[in-house]
Amino acid sequence: MKSFQFLSALLVTALPLSAATFTLDSAVRHALAENRDLAAARLRIVEASARREQSGRLSNPELETEVRPNTNGREGVLALGVIQRFPLTARLRLERAVSQAELTAATAEVHTAERALAAQVAFGVADWLAFTAQRQVREQQRAHGDELAQAARAAGQRGEGSDLEAQQLEL
């Protein structure tokens, strides 16, 4: 049942392809390009890559200001400061390593899914092409059988063969 559903899904997605371009390679390329699950997985790779680029960076510096007017005189205080936090542990390096591992895992997962889909499509297309070739061979055999029956019928009418043989060939 599952293979029937897959084959029908393959045929529905292959409908935009013309009969002249329906080959094993074109079907695999089409399936890989049009598969929504793979497109979503590729977006996860882009996400993981962006997280890897952002991970391991220092936090943004903070700007502090302080204004204190002096109520007793004309003088006041204006203070500006920049604060940059530095981690004391290897947190940034470890965060970068985790992000790299996530990216590697996501990439491997997508490549595995692509290979599995390509194999599944290749098997489906091979079955379809074999079925098509079988159908053509059977049509040729039927046409040759009809020709043979007509020749036997003509030979029977001329008295060169048996009418029984012609009827068997027609059957």
Side-chain angles (χ1 to χ4, degrees), residues 56-134:
R57 294 189 177 188
L58 296 174
S59 61
N60 290 332
E62 299 174 12
L63 178 66
E64 289 187 346
T65 60
E66 180 183 359
V67 177
R68 283 187 303 188
N70 190 350
T71 56
N72 294 336
R74 295 179 52 171
E75 296 179 4
V77 175
L78 174 64
L80 295 174
V82 177
I83 299 175
Q84 176 67 56
R85 299 188 195 291
F86 295 101
L88 297 177
T89 63
R91 182 185 62 82
L92 296 179
R93 183 176 42 82
L94 295 175
E95 187 179 317
R96 194 174 299 132
V98 167
S99 296
Q100 180 62 42
E102 286 176 353
L103 177 63
T104 304
T107 304
E109 199 174 303
V110 168
H111 290 307
T112 301
E114 285 175 345
R115 283 192 299 274
L117 179 65
Q120 198 173 18
V121 168
F123 283 127
V125 169
D127 287 345
W128 175 256
L129 292 175
F131 172 74
T132 304
Q134 256 183 354

Side-chain angles (χ1 to χ4, degrees), residues 2-25:
K2 189 175 183 179
S3 63
F4 175 73
Q5 290 172 344
F6 168 73
L7 188 58
S8 61
L10 173 68
L11 293 177
V12 167
T13 59
L15 285 178
L17 297 174
S18 67
T21 61
F22 187 72
T23 63
L24 183 67
D25 292 335

